[in-house]
Amino acid sequence: MIETYHRNINQQELQELTSRKPSMWTKIERFSMKLIAITMILLIPFLIIDKFFPVPSQTEGIIVIVLFTISIAMSIYWTKRDPIIAFEKQRKENNEIEIIRCSTNRAIKREDPEDFGVSFYLDTEDGRTLYLQGQYLDILEYDKQFPNSEFELIRTKNTKELIDFKVKGNYFEPEKTLQAFTMEDFKKGFVPEDGEILDIEFEKIK
């Protein structure tokens, strides 16, 4: 059995997410790296041209100022689209939480590809299958707490960022273990996302 519902974020969950946001120093560092990279890209062609066709000092100063101004503008534009900054902004725009509750007694394990975390397929008993993957499962599996007969996944609704994962039932062994996904599988989009409910019967997982 599986059920999904949404609610507003509570204070404890909000504090947890706030603690993960990038520091001001991190933001400045990322902006500075962009500014340096763009400035170098714009200056190198100018320096090469100036070597063979010298530009008057006064004109040279104006060109450098213009190029640096362009670098700043491009860095600001690029920073707004920085995945970390964009993710934080998206997180702030929606305070809804998604909760997935599942009761099951059947699971299939898939090996971890390159430290992405182990993954499991869970039978939802309604013709669908819940897919979970992440390093948060590694510890639970090692401690013999997962797969579990009853658990609850708590994450943000829009960004799907994990907030908490609670096991509430009993541990059981997976029925079988599949090989890890290959990099080709990732490139072709064959790999489900963590928390995705697949429209495929559990028996057909292979």
Side-chain angles (χ1 to χ4, degrees):
M1 182 194 74
I2 187 170
E3 60 177 346
T4 302
Y5 69 94
H6 304 99
R7 62 168 171 77
N8 289 331
I9 191 170
N10 61 38
Q11 188 61 35
Q12 182 179 354
E13 293 162 344
L14 184 60
Q15 290 176 351
E16 170 63 24
L17 290 177
T18 301
S19 68
R20 301 179 192 173
K21 71 178 184 179
S23 65
M24 182 59 66
W25 172 251
T26 299
K27 294 179 181 178
I28 293 174
E29 183 179 33
R30 294 177 73 86
F31 176 81
S32 298
M33 293 299 294
K34 293 179 178 65
L35 180 60
I36 292 171
I38 295 173
T39 301
M40 292 299 295
I41 292 172
L42 293 177
L43 277 178
I44 288 175
F46 169 69
L47 293 175
I48 294 174
I49 294 173
D50 186 50
K51 182 177 180 180
F52 296 99
F53 306 97
V55 178
S57 299
Q58 186 175 359
T59 305
E60 186 178 75
I62 295 174
I63 293 175
V64 170
I65 292 174
V66 171
L67 291 179
F68 190 66
T69 302
I70 294 174
S71 297
I72 293 175
M74 292 181 65
S75 297
I76 294 174
Y77 178 84
W78 192 4
T79 297
K80 288 181 179 179
R81 283 152 182 77
D82 186 308
I84 290 181
I85 307 301
F87 185 84
E88 183 184 4
K89 181 180 178 182
Q90 187 180 10
R91 177 197 285 166
K92 289 179 179 178
E93 290 175 350
N94 192 321
N95 285 328
E96 279 196 276
I97 295 298
E98 178 179 66
I99 298 177
I100 299 176
R101 288 178 176 171
C102 183
S103 298
T104 184
N105 56 15
R106 302 182 69 189
I108 295 174
K109 174 184 174 181
R110 187 178 286 278
E111 292 288 358
D112 176 13
E114 303 294 334
D115 293 329
F116 287 108
V118 68
S119 58
F120 290 93
Y121 299 89
L122 292 310
D123 183 18
T124 63
E125 302 177 353
D126 62 358
R128 299 178 299 167
T129 301
L130 174 64
Y131 178 82
L132 298 178
Q133 180 179 26
Q135 294 181 342
Y136 67 94
L137 296 174
D138 292 341
I139 298 176
L140 293 172
E141 182 197 23
Y142 180 81
D143 291 339
K144 297 293 183 180
Q145 295 187 60
F146 200 84
N148 198 284
S149 59
E150 185 177 353
F151 57 89
E152 186 175 87
L153 172 69
I154 304 173
R155 62 185 183 178
T156 57
K157 180 182 176 182
N158 58 334
T159 60
K160 308 301 182 185
E161 182 179 5
L162 179 69
I163 296 177
D164 198 4
F165 189 87
K166 302 176 180 179
V167 289
K168 299 183 174 183
N170 300 310
Y171 170 81
F172 62 89
E173 292 282 348
E175 296 182 8
K176 60 182 177 180
T177 300
L178 305 178
Q179 292 183 344
F181 283 116
T182 65
M183 294 309 297
E184 193 66 23
D185 292 329
F186 281 94
K187 291 178 181 178
K188 292 182 178 180
F190 293 159
V191 182
E193 295 183 1
D194 179 39
E196 185 174 348
I197 300 175
L198 310 175
D199 288 319
I200 181 172
E201 294 180 6
F202 183 80
E203 287 76 11
K204 295 181 180 180
I205 302 293
K206 57 182 180 178

